[in-house]
Amino acid sequence: MGRQGDSPARGTASGSSSVRKPSAAVYRRRRLVVGGALLLVIALVVSGFALAAAFRGGSQQASSSQATSAGTPSTGPAASPSPATTASASATPSATPSPSAPATPTCNQNLVTVSAATDKPAYGPGENPLLTLKVTNGGTVPCEVNIGTSQMEFLVTSGSDRIFSSKDCQASSEDLVKVIAPGASETANFPWSRNRSADGCKAVAVAPGGGGAYYIFTAKLGSRASPKAVFQLN
């Protein structure tokens, strides 16, 4: 019995010692598997390069866009502003104009008047008259008036005879602009030496007559002339 049990062992030993070669179909399947794996690897490598190139292209495009928006001039035609830019520009508040100051009332120069006066109605021998020119603002607002010697004239006449003018021998001619308040006045005095004068300060030998003769004093300021002020020389 023990010997018969050894037969299967020998049969197994003899079966394992004989190695079977793979068939041609197995070889073809192995080649297909290896070839497919190789194609998959190649596809992954190519896809990786394409993806990297795509990332590099996107970075360059973004950089170019940033440079254009930063102010670098482009070589193509000028692009119209984007809606966002237009909305931003229209949303910018405009400067609110400041309220204008109320207009200052204009002075009526026609209400500025000139008057003439003497310190006495009559003068004895050797007394010199004091001639006074007075400028009054008869308006309701202040007025600027030139009351300089360039505008003033103290004129003495007797009938048609021109006796004296302060402009004939005036040493200097100056402007003096003053603001005269409503209802206020400015005055200028001129002591007359009872002498005659001529245009250009020419010498005049004859003196005005006395003995109770009457004379007229007219004060002038530019184009304004005062009413006549009459006085007497004795």
Side-chain angles (χ1 to χ4, degrees):
M1 293 294 296
R3 293 179 64 84
Q4 290 177 357
D6 294 337
S7 294
R10 283 195 303 268
T12 302
S14 61
S16 62
S17 61
S18 59
V19 180
R20 296 177 62 185
K21 294 182 179 181
S23 64
V26 173
Y27 279 112
R28 283 196 300 271
R29 285 196 297 270
R30 289 178 179 176
R31 290 192 189 99
L32 289 175
V33 171
V34 173
L38 182 59
L39 290 175
L40 181 60
V41 170
I42 293 173
L44 291 175
V45 171
V46 172
S47 299
F49 280 116
L51 185 60
F55 276 117
R56 286 196 298 273
S59 299
Q60 292 175 357
Q61 183 177 3
S63 300
S64 176
S65 300
Q66 291 173 0
T68 303
S69 63
T72 304
S74 60
T75 57
S80 59
S82 63
T85 303
T86 305
S88 176
S90 62
T92 303
S94 59
T96 303
S98 58
S100 57
T104 303
T106 304
C107 164
N108 187 352
Q109 292 287 339
N110 292 328
L111 298 178
V112 177
T113 59
V114 178
S115 60
T118 59
D119 58 333
K120 291 173 64 175
Y123 300 89
E127 289 184 322
N128 293 333
L130 182 66
L131 310 179
T132 300
L133 180 154
K134 186 176 182 180
V135 185
T136 303
N137 178 10
T140 58
V141 297
C143 278
E144 285 188 353
V145 183
N146 187 349
I147 59 172
T149 55
S150 62
Q151 304 298 312
M152 290 183 181
E153 183 180 11
F154 296 80
L155 179 65
V156 177
T157 58
S158 178
S160 60
D161 189 8
R162 180 181 182 272
I163 304 297
F164 174 85
S165 172
S166 60
K167 283 188 171 296
D168 289 341
C169 296
Q170 185 170 282
S172 62
S173 177
E174 298 177 351
D175 292 331
L176 178 61
V177 178
K178 281 194 173 184
V179 177
I180 303 179
S185 301
E186 292 285 341
T187 59
N189 295 320
F190 184 87
W192 179 41
S193 301
R194 298 177 68 153
N195 62 311
R196 280 184 176 267
S197 69
D199 188 20
C201 202
K202 296 175 183 178
V204 180
V206 181
Y214 286 93
Y215 294 87
I216 297 172
F217 164 47
T218 303
K220 292 185 177 182
L221 186 71
S223 60
R224 303 176 181 92
S226 70
K228 298 175 181 178
V230 180
F231 63 96
Q232 186 180 20
L233 293 182
N234 293 309

